[in-house]
Amino acid sequence: MQDGRTTLSKFLIDTLDRKPGPESASGLSALLIDVAASIKTISAALTKGALGGNYGSAETHNTHGEEQKKLDLATNEIFLQHCEWDGLLAGMVSEEMEGVYAIPDAYPRGEYLLAFDPLDGSSNIDINGVVGSIFSVLRVNGTAGDAAFLRPGREQVAAGYAIYGPSTMLVLSVGNGTHGFTLERDVGNFVLTHSDIRIPEDSCEFAINASNERFWEPPVRRYVQECKDGKSGCRQRDFNMRWIASMVAEVHRILMRGGVFMYPRDFKTPAMQGRLRMLYEASPMSFLVEQAGGMSITGRERILDVKPQALHERVPVILGSKNEVARIGRYHGEYDRGEDKPYTSPLFNERSLFLPDPV
Ligand code: AHG
Ligand code: MN
Ligand code: MN
């Protein structure tokens, strides 16, 4: 299919509906069109900026105890309204809702489950920074309770995100590569502009919230220190660091030009396994990254193989260029087996109370 000529509908008809397979008869493409409609509506609302009267806090908190912005709630409603009526869904899960959202009785029930983060990076919204939406689609097996959603990410039938930047893009995978569509605003179509995105296997760019450095595990500190040592260190080349604080923006950059994004396990809040949420952040993004030839791990496991235990479970995330992510995975293995060189920063040796006992 030709970049610049193929609309999202054409792409889905060609990729799903005209291919014999379980998805063709069951309306996955129609569901994705409804998700795309949510994204267009959100894009229009965000473009209004402060003039839309939607900036600021809603003065409520979500299930993670995070303050909800007015736009977190408004974008959540947009997803629900566009997707609940079509008879294709059996239930929905969102960052902004505690439990599974049951399809209202007025509408027929379908075969799919949708999990979404309606507004990712919402701390950037009031500063007119880049934000996004992330979504994941599973096929229901039985009743649409919590258990139906608690499946390893490799079982997703579709995953994607929208990025609301200078242009709005939808990046999507239905399991045959990762493809990017740009919103042609005056017409209202998503047009294929980035077919079969491939993440370069090597990279010199990494993204991590460095303010958490003192809480990181030794393998992550080892990797980042080596990057910072640049040409004079063992990597023998200089690295760049980027941090936008919006997972969508980081993953998008990595899909476009490679790199590594990390929100690793840390000891800032020991009870918390990472910062990002499995169902509507880590799992769909890992699917897109793998479909583009990249790699996505917790440090110790492939994320798509992890079976979540709770709807809002968090998970450590290290994703991006294959060779870099594999290296970080190797560092975790060496550390766990006690083969790692001891970390030499005097600061951290002194403050080793932040770290677990070496195994
Ligand atoms: P959300 O706005 O949906 O709560 O998600 C924000 C996430 C993610 O987008 C980003 O990578 C990370 O939180 C930023 O974390 P810091 O606040 O530590 O920078
Ligand atoms: Mn998010
Ligand atoms: Mn969010």
Side-chain angles (χ1 to χ4, degrees), residues 62 66 72 95-96 117 119-123 209 211-212 243 245-248 250 261 263 268 275-277 281:
N62 66 15
E66 297 161 345
D72 284 321
E95 180 185 342
E96 308 305 339
D117 175 355
L119 193 60
D120 175 66
S122 57
S123 68
N209 183 344
S211 69
N212 291 330
W243 185 250
S246 162
M247 187 191 198
V248 163
E250 319 279 3
F261 167 80
Y263 219 114
K268 192 172 182 180
R275 159 93 166 79
L276 298 170
R277 282 60 60 108
E281 290 176 325

PDB file of all heavy atoms in Angstrom, residues 62 66 72 95-96 117 119-123 209 211-212 243 245-248 250 261 263 268 275-277 281, ligand 1:
ATOM      1  N   ASN A  62      -7.436   9.463  40.563  1.00  0.00           N
ATOM      2  CA  ASN A  62      -7.717   8.157  39.959  1.00  0.00           C
ATOM      3  C   ASN A  62      -7.284   7.043  40.908  1.00  0.00           C
ATOM      4  O   ASN A  62      -6.838   7.307  42.035  1.00  0.00           O
ATOM      5  CB  ASN A  62      -7.054   8.031  38.574  1.00  0.00           C
ATOM      6  CG  ASN A  62      -5.534   8.025  38.622  1.00  0.00           C
ATOM      7  OD1 ASN A  62      -4.933   7.840  39.687  1.00  0.00           O
ATOM      8  ND2 ASN A  62      -4.910   8.219  37.477  1.00  0.00           N
ATOM      9  N   GLU A  66      -3.403   9.508  41.717  1.00  0.00           N
ATOM     10  CA  GLU A  66      -2.906  10.680  40.988  1.00  0.00           C
ATOM     11  C   GLU A  66      -4.044  11.660  40.750  1.00  0.00           C
ATOM     12  O   GLU A  66      -5.182  11.247  40.474  1.00  0.00           O
ATOM     13  CB  GLU A  66      -2.329  10.247  39.630  1.00  0.00           C
ATOM     14  CG  GLU A  66      -1.147   9.329  39.748  1.00  0.00           C
ATOM     15  CD  GLU A  66      -0.862   8.544  38.459  1.00  0.00           C
ATOM     16  OE1 GLU A  66      -1.730   8.489  37.578  1.00  0.00           O
ATOM     17  OE2 GLU A  66       0.225   7.953  38.373  1.00  0.00           O
ATOM     18  N   ASP A  72      -8.105  14.635  31.510  1.00  0.00           N
ATOM     19  CA  ASP A  72      -8.070  13.177  31.720  1.00  0.00           C
ATOM     20  C   ASP A  72      -9.491  12.641  31.682  1.00  0.00           C
ATOM     21  O   ASP A  72      -9.777  11.605  31.073  1.00  0.00           O
ATOM     22  CB  ASP A  72      -7.455  12.840  33.085  1.00  0.00           C
ATOM     23  CG  ASP A  72      -5.945  12.977  33.119  1.00  0.00           C
ATOM     24  OD1 ASP A  72      -5.287  12.621  32.130  1.00  0.00           O
ATOM     25  OD2 ASP A  72      -5.412  13.436  34.162  1.00  0.00           O
ATOM     26  N   GLU A  95      -7.241   3.920  32.479  1.00  0.00           N
ATOM     27  CA  GLU A  95      -6.469   4.468  33.586  1.00  0.00           C
ATOM     28  C   GLU A  95      -7.362   5.276  34.527  1.00  0.00           C
ATOM     29  O   GLU A  95      -7.124   5.340  35.723  1.00  0.00           O
ATOM     30  CB  GLU A  95      -5.357   5.375  33.040  1.00  0.00           C
ATOM     31  CG  GLU A  95      -4.512   5.989  34.141  1.00  0.00           C
ATOM     32  CD  GLU A  95      -3.474   6.991  33.651  1.00  0.00           C
ATOM     33  OE1 GLU A  95      -3.148   6.987  32.463  1.00  0.00           O
ATOM     34  OE2 GLU A  95      -3.002   7.774  34.476  1.00  0.00           O
ATOM     35  N   GLU A  96      -8.391   5.882  33.974  1.00  0.00           N
ATOM     36  CA  GLU A  96      -9.208   6.809  34.759  1.00  0.00           C
ATOM     37  C   GLU A  96     -10.427   6.172  35.408  1.00  0.00           C
ATOM     38  O   GLU A  96     -11.258   6.867  35.989  1.00  0.00           O
ATOM     39  CB  GLU A  96      -9.622   8.007  33.885  1.00  0.00           C
ATOM     40  CG  GLU A  96      -8.480   8.708  33.172  1.00  0.00           C
ATOM     41  CD  GLU A  96      -7.351   9.184  34.107  1.00  0.00           C
ATOM     42  OE1 GLU A  96      -7.593   9.333  35.326  1.00  0.00           O
ATOM     43  OE2 GLU A  96      -6.228   9.367  33.609  1.00  0.00           O
ATOM     44  N   ASP A 117      -5.388   4.292  27.847  1.00  0.00           N
ATOM     45  CA  ASP A 117      -4.948   5.457  28.616  1.00  0.00           C
ATOM     46  C   ASP A 117      -5.397   6.644  27.763  1.00  0.00           C
ATOM     47  O   ASP A 117      -4.803   6.918  26.720  1.00  0.00           O
ATOM     48  CB  ASP A 117      -3.417   5.427  28.760  1.00  0.00           C
ATOM     49  CG  ASP A 117      -2.874   6.664  29.442  1.00  0.00           C
ATOM     50  OD1 ASP A 117      -3.651   7.591  29.732  1.00  0.00           O
ATOM     51  OD2 ASP A 117      -1.644   6.703  29.677  1.00  0.00           O
ATOM     52  N   LEU A 119      -5.342   9.865  28.025  1.00  0.00           N
ATOM     53  CA  LEU A 119      -4.442  11.009  27.866  1.00  0.00           C
ATOM     54  C   LEU A 119      -3.138  10.675  28.578  1.00  0.00           C
ATOM     55  O   LEU A 119      -3.063  10.696  29.804  1.00  0.00           O
ATOM     56  CB  LEU A 119      -5.083  12.271  28.454  1.00  0.00           C
ATOM     57  CG  LEU A 119      -4.401  13.580  28.086  1.00  0.00           C
ATOM     58  CD1 LEU A 119      -4.400  13.804  26.576  1.00  0.00           C
ATOM     59  CD2 LEU A 119      -5.090  14.748  28.778  1.00  0.00           C
ATOM     60  N   ASP A 120      -2.145  10.306  27.794  1.00  0.00           N
ATOM     61  CA  ASP A 120      -0.847   9.956  28.369  1.00  0.00           C
ATOM     62  C   ASP A 120       0.048  11.186  28.371  1.00  0.00           C
ATOM     63  O   ASP A 120       0.074  11.947  27.407  1.00  0.00           O
ATOM     64  CB  ASP A 120      -0.193   8.846  27.550  1.00  0.00           C
ATOM     65  CG  ASP A 120       1.202   8.539  28.059  1.00  0.00           C
ATOM     66  OD1 ASP A 120       1.312   8.045  29.191  1.00  0.00           O
ATOM     67  OD2 ASP A 120       2.179   8.835  27.349  1.00  0.00           O
ATOM     68  N   GLY A 121       0.769  11.348  29.487  1.00  0.00           N
ATOM     69  CA  GLY A 121       1.646  12.514  29.613  1.00  0.00           C
ATOM     70  C   GLY A 121       0.849  13.745  29.996  1.00  0.00           C
ATOM     71  O   GLY A 121       1.213  14.870  29.642  1.00  0.00           O
ATOM     72  N   SER A 122      -0.249  13.522  30.752  1.00  0.00           N
ATOM     73  CA  SER A 122      -1.160  14.653  30.988  1.00  0.00           C
ATOM     74  C   SER A 122      -0.524  15.756  31.841  1.00  0.00           C
ATOM     75  O   SER A 122      -1.048  16.865  31.880  1.00  0.00           O
ATOM     76  CB  SER A 122      -2.497  14.197  31.563  1.00  0.00           C
ATOM     77  OG  SER A 122      -2.316  13.486  32.746  1.00  0.00           O
ATOM     78  N   SER A 123       0.616  15.450  32.469  1.00  0.00           N
ATOM     79  CA  SER A 123       1.303  16.539  33.189  1.00  0.00           C
ATOM     80  C   SER A 123       1.829  17.585  32.197  1.00  0.00           C
ATOM     81  O   SER A 123       2.156  18.705  32.578  1.00  0.00           O
ATOM     82  CB  SER A 123       2.448  15.994  34.050  1.00  0.00           C
ATOM     83  OG  SER A 123       3.472  15.500  33.218  1.00  0.00           O
ATOM     84  N   ASN A 209      14.120   9.160  33.458  1.00  0.00           N
ATOM     85  CA  ASN A 209      13.968  10.246  34.425  1.00  0.00           C
ATOM     86  C   ASN A 209      15.157  10.182  35.389  1.00  0.00           C
ATOM     87  O   ASN A 209      15.149   9.440  36.372  1.00  0.00           O
ATOM     88  CB  ASN A 209      12.638  10.103  35.172  1.00  0.00           C
ATOM     89  CG  ASN A 209      12.422  11.257  36.135  1.00  0.00           C
ATOM     90  OD1 ASN A 209      13.359  11.993  36.466  1.00  0.00           O
ATOM     91  ND2 ASN A 209      11.193  11.430  36.583  1.00  0.00           N
ATOM     92  N   SER A 211      16.246  12.047  37.588  1.00  0.00           N
ATOM     93  CA  SER A 211      16.085  12.482  38.976  1.00  0.00           C
ATOM     94  C   SER A 211      15.873  11.291  39.911  1.00  0.00           C
ATOM     95  O   SER A 211      15.975  11.419  41.126  1.00  0.00           O
ATOM     96  CB  SER A 211      14.921  13.473  39.105  1.00  0.00           C
ATOM     97  OG  SER A 211      13.695  12.818  38.879  1.00  0.00           O
ATOM     98  N   ASN A 212      15.587  10.132  39.343  1.00  0.00           N
ATOM     99  CA  ASN A 212      15.403   8.923  40.165  1.00  0.00           C
ATOM    100  C   ASN A 212      16.681   8.103  40.289  1.00  0.00           C
ATOM    101  O   ASN A 212      16.647   6.995  40.818  1.00  0.00           O
ATOM    102  CB  ASN A 212      14.314   8.029  39.543  1.00  0.00           C
ATOM    103  CG  ASN A 212      12.945   8.657  39.644  1.00  0.00           C
ATOM    104  OD1 ASN A 212      12.673   9.406  40.581  1.00  0.00           O
ATOM    105  ND2 ASN A 212      12.079   8.370  38.688  1.00  0.00           N
ATOM    106  N   TRP A 243      14.244  13.463  27.560  1.00  0.00           N
ATOM    107  CA  TRP A 243      13.179  13.091  28.489  1.00  0.00           C
ATOM    108  C   TRP A 243      12.015  14.048  28.300  1.00  0.00           C
ATOM    109  O   TRP A 243      12.121  15.243  28.608  1.00  0.00           O
ATOM    110  CB  TRP A 243      13.661  13.104  29.946  1.00  0.00           C
ATOM    111  CG  TRP A 243      12.602  12.604  30.887  1.00  0.00           C
ATOM    112  CD1 TRP A 243      11.893  13.321  31.804  1.00  0.00           C
ATOM    113  CD2 TRP A 243      12.112  11.254  30.997  1.00  0.00           C
ATOM    114  NE1 TRP A 243      10.993  12.517  32.474  1.00  0.00           N
ATOM    115  CE2 TRP A 243      11.105  11.232  31.993  1.00  0.00           C
ATOM    116  CE3 TRP A 243      12.406  10.048  30.342  1.00  0.00           C
ATOM    117  CZ2 TRP A 243      10.416  10.079  32.343  1.00  0.00           C
ATOM    118  CZ3 TRP A 243      11.715   8.900  30.697  1.00  0.00           C
ATOM    119  CH2 TRP A 243      10.746   8.918  31.687  1.00  0.00           C
ATOM    120  N   ALA A 245       8.787  13.116  29.344  1.00  0.00           N
ATOM    121  CA  ALA A 245       7.792  12.784  30.380  1.00  0.00           C
ATOM    122  C   ALA A 245       6.420  12.483  29.779  1.00  0.00           C
ATOM    123  O   ALA A 245       5.390  12.777  30.377  1.00  0.00           O
ATOM    124  CB  ALA A 245       7.690  13.870  31.449  1.00  0.00           C
ATOM    125  N   SER A 246       6.438  11.934  28.595  1.00  0.00           N
ATOM    126  CA  SER A 246       5.210  11.445  27.968  1.00  0.00           C
ATOM    127  C   SER A 246       5.632  10.198  27.203  1.00  0.00           C
ATOM    128  O   SER A 246       6.386  10.281  26.230  1.00  0.00           O
ATOM    129  CB  SER A 246       4.671  12.527  27.034  1.00  0.00           C
ATOM    130  OG  SER A 246       3.757  11.989  26.125  1.00  0.00           O
ATOM    131  N   MET A 247       5.189   9.037  27.674  1.00  0.00           N
ATOM    132  CA  MET A 247       5.647   7.776  27.083  1.00  0.00           C
ATOM    133  C   MET A 247       5.382   7.749  25.579  1.00  0.00           C
ATOM    134  O   MET A 247       6.194   7.260  24.798  1.00  0.00           O
ATOM    135  CB  MET A 247       4.938   6.609  27.765  1.00  0.00           C
ATOM    136  CG  MET A 247       5.469   5.277  27.335  1.00  0.00           C
ATOM    137  SD  MET A 247       4.447   3.917  27.875  1.00  0.00           S
ATOM    138  CE  MET A 247       5.611   2.559  27.707  1.00  0.00           C
ATOM    139  N   VAL A 248       4.221   8.292  25.180  1.00  0.00           N
ATOM    140  CA  VAL A 248       3.883   8.287  23.760  1.00  0.00           C
ATOM    141  C   VAL A 248       4.963   9.023  22.954  1.00  0.00           C
ATOM    142  O   VAL A 248       5.409   8.546  21.907  1.00  0.00           O
ATOM    143  CB  VAL A 248       2.497   8.929  23.537  1.00  0.00           C
ATOM    144  CG1 VAL A 248       2.296   9.310  22.085  1.00  0.00           C
ATOM    145  CG2 VAL A 248       1.392   7.985  23.984  1.00  0.00           C
ATOM    146  N   GLU A 250       8.070   9.566  23.722  1.00  0.00           N
ATOM    147  CA  GLU A 250       9.357   8.844  23.742  1.00  0.00           C
ATOM    148  C   GLU A 250       9.309   7.642  22.790  1.00  0.00           C
ATOM    149  O   GLU A 250      10.244   7.408  22.026  1.00  0.00           O
ATOM    150  CB  GLU A 250       9.703   8.313  25.141  1.00  0.00           C
ATOM    151  CG  GLU A 250       9.409   9.221  26.316  1.00  0.00           C
ATOM    152  CD  GLU A 250      10.447  10.294  26.593  1.00  0.00           C
ATOM    153  OE1 GLU A 250      11.430  10.399  25.830  1.00  0.00           O
ATOM    154  OE2 GLU A 250      10.244  11.033  27.576  1.00  0.00           O
ATOM    155  N   PHE A 261      14.082   3.742  25.799  1.00  0.00           N
ATOM    156  CA  PHE A 261      13.266   4.410  26.814  1.00  0.00           C
ATOM    157  C   PHE A 261      13.221   3.493  28.027  1.00  0.00           C
ATOM    158  O   PHE A 261      12.980   2.301  27.903  1.00  0.00           O
ATOM    159  CB  PHE A 261      11.848   4.643  26.275  1.00  0.00           C
ATOM    160  CG  PHE A 261      10.863   5.032  27.341  1.00  0.00           C
ATOM    161  CD1 PHE A 261      10.812   6.338  27.803  1.00  0.00           C
ATOM    162  CD2 PHE A 261       9.982   4.102  27.895  1.00  0.00           C
ATOM    163  CE1 PHE A 261       9.898   6.710  28.797  1.00  0.00           C
ATOM    164  CE2 PHE A 261       9.070   4.462  28.879  1.00  0.00           C
ATOM    165  CZ  PHE A 261       9.030   5.768  29.324  1.00  0.00           C
ATOM    166  N   TYR A 263      11.665   3.162  32.042  1.00  0.00           N
ATOM    167  CA  TYR A 263      11.124   3.501  33.356  1.00  0.00           C
ATOM    168  C   TYR A 263      11.317   2.242  34.177  1.00  0.00           C
ATOM    169  O   TYR A 263      10.431   1.405  34.300  1.00  0.00           O
ATOM    170  CB  TYR A 263       9.666   3.979  33.329  1.00  0.00           C
ATOM    171  CG  TYR A 263       9.505   5.115  34.312  1.00  0.00           C
ATOM    172  CD1 TYR A 263       9.208   6.395  33.904  1.00  0.00           C
ATOM    173  CD2 TYR A 263       9.751   4.898  35.670  1.00  0.00           C
ATOM    174  CE1 TYR A 263       9.136   7.437  34.805  1.00  0.00           C
ATOM    175  CE2 TYR A 263       9.682   5.941  36.572  1.00  0.00           C
ATOM    176  CZ  TYR A 263       9.377   7.200  36.135  1.00  0.00           C
ATOM    177  OH  TYR A 263       9.323   8.223  37.044  1.00  0.00           O
ATOM    178  N   LYS A 268      12.261   3.909  44.876  1.00  0.00           N
ATOM    179  CA  LYS A 268      11.663   5.143  45.379  1.00  0.00           C
ATOM    180  C   LYS A 268      10.422   4.781  46.208  1.00  0.00           C
ATOM    181  O   LYS A 268      10.245   5.248  47.321  1.00  0.00           O
ATOM    182  CB  LYS A 268      11.266   6.019  44.187  1.00  0.00           C
ATOM    183  CG  LYS A 268      10.901   7.423  44.548  1.00  0.00           C
ATOM    184  CD  LYS A 268      10.715   8.217  43.256  1.00  0.00           C
ATOM    185  CE  LYS A 268      10.380   9.658  43.514  1.00  0.00           C
ATOM    186  NZ  LYS A 268      10.219  10.395  42.254  1.00  0.00           N
ATOM    187  N   ARG A 275       6.749   2.270  37.194  1.00  0.00           N
ATOM    188  CA  ARG A 275       5.848   3.425  37.212  1.00  0.00           C
ATOM    189  C   ARG A 275       4.695   3.231  36.230  1.00  0.00           C
ATOM    190  O   ARG A 275       3.579   3.650  36.469  1.00  0.00           O
ATOM    191  CB  ARG A 275       6.671   4.660  36.820  1.00  0.00           C
ATOM    192  CG  ARG A 275       5.917   5.862  36.289  1.00  0.00           C
ATOM    193  CD  ARG A 275       5.604   6.798  37.420  1.00  0.00           C
ATOM    194  NE  ARG A 275       5.185   8.103  36.987  1.00  0.00           N
ATOM    195  CZ  ARG A 275       3.955   8.420  36.550  1.00  0.00           C
ATOM    196  NH1 ARG A 275       3.040   7.497  36.417  1.00  0.00           N
ATOM    197  NH2 ARG A 275       3.664   9.665  36.236  1.00  0.00           N
ATOM    198  N   LEU A 276       4.995   2.575  35.113  1.00  0.00           N
ATOM    199  CA  LEU A 276       4.021   2.518  34.021  1.00  0.00           C
ATOM    200  C   LEU A 276       3.071   1.339  34.194  1.00  0.00           C
ATOM    201  O   LEU A 276       3.428   0.335  34.817  1.00  0.00           O
ATOM    202  CB  LEU A 276       4.750   2.448  32.683  1.00  0.00           C
ATOM    203  CG  LEU A 276       5.617   3.691  32.425  1.00  0.00           C
ATOM    204  CD1 LEU A 276       6.503   3.499  31.218  1.00  0.00           C
ATOM    205  CD2 LEU A 276       4.736   4.927  32.240  1.00  0.00           C
ATOM    206  N   ARG A 277       1.896   1.494  33.659  1.00  0.00           N
ATOM    207  CA  ARG A 277       0.856   0.513  33.860  1.00  0.00           C
ATOM    208  C   ARG A 277       0.857  -0.504  32.717  1.00  0.00           C
ATOM    209  O   ARG A 277       1.008  -0.172  31.555  1.00  0.00           O
ATOM    210  CB  ARG A 277      -0.514   1.201  33.959  1.00  0.00           C
ATOM    211  CG  ARG A 277      -0.809   1.851  35.300  1.00  0.00           C
ATOM    212  CD  ARG A 277       0.138   2.931  35.735  1.00  0.00           C
ATOM    213  NE  ARG A 277       0.236   4.065  34.847  1.00  0.00           N
ATOM    214  CZ  ARG A 277      -0.255   5.275  35.084  1.00  0.00           C
ATOM    215  NH1 ARG A 277      -0.862   5.519  36.219  1.00  0.00           N
ATOM    216  NH2 ARG A 277      -0.108   6.262  34.226  1.00  0.00           N
ATOM    217  N   GLU A 281      -0.391   0.850  29.002  1.00  0.00           N
ATOM    218  CA  GLU A 281       0.833   1.563  28.618  1.00  0.00           C
ATOM    219  C   GLU A 281       1.876   0.544  28.128  1.00  0.00           C
ATOM    220  O   GLU A 281       2.213   0.498  26.948  1.00  0.00           O
ATOM    221  CB  GLU A 281       1.378   2.400  29.799  1.00  0.00           C
ATOM    222  CG  GLU A 281       0.478   3.593  30.124  1.00  0.00           C
ATOM    223  CD  GLU A 281       0.893   4.400  31.335  1.00  0.00           C
ATOM    224  OE1 GLU A 281       1.407   3.826  32.320  1.00  0.00           O
ATOM    225  OE2 GLU A 281       0.681   5.620  31.336  1.00  0.00           O
TER     226      GLU A 281
HETATM  227  P1  AHG B   1      -0.078   9.543  32.623  1.00  0.00           P
HETATM  228  O1  AHG B   1      -0.011  10.990  32.234  1.00  0.00           O
HETATM  229  O2  AHG B   1      -1.019   8.754  31.773  1.00  0.00           O
HETATM  230  O3  AHG B   1      -0.316   9.335  34.091  1.00  0.00           O
HETATM  231  O4  AHG B   1       1.323   8.853  32.296  1.00  0.00           O
HETATM  232  C1  AHG B   1       2.526   9.485  32.490  1.00  0.00           C
HETATM  233  C2  AHG B   1       3.641   8.472  32.437  1.00  0.00           C
HETATM  234  C3  AHG B   1       4.354   8.383  31.115  1.00  0.00           C
HETATM  235  O5  AHG B   1       3.780   8.973  30.058  1.00  0.00           O
HETATM  236  C4  AHG B   1       5.701   8.964  31.366  1.00  0.00           C
HETATM  237  O6  AHG B   1       6.662   8.203  30.739  1.00  0.00           O
HETATM  238  C5  AHG B   1       5.859   8.964  32.840  1.00  0.00           C
HETATM  239  O7  AHG B   1       4.585   8.842  33.394  1.00  0.00           O
HETATM  240  C6  AHG B   1       6.481  10.248  33.322  1.00  0.00           C
HETATM  241  O8  AHG B   1       6.904  10.035  34.581  1.00  0.00           O
HETATM  242  P2  AHG B   1       7.652  11.161  35.443  1.00  0.00           P
HETATM  243  O9  AHG B   1       6.546  11.951  36.047  1.00  0.00           O
HETATM  244  O10 AHG B   1       8.458  10.378  36.435  1.00  0.00           O
HETATM  245  O11 AHG B   1       8.501  11.964  34.528  1.00  0.00           O
END
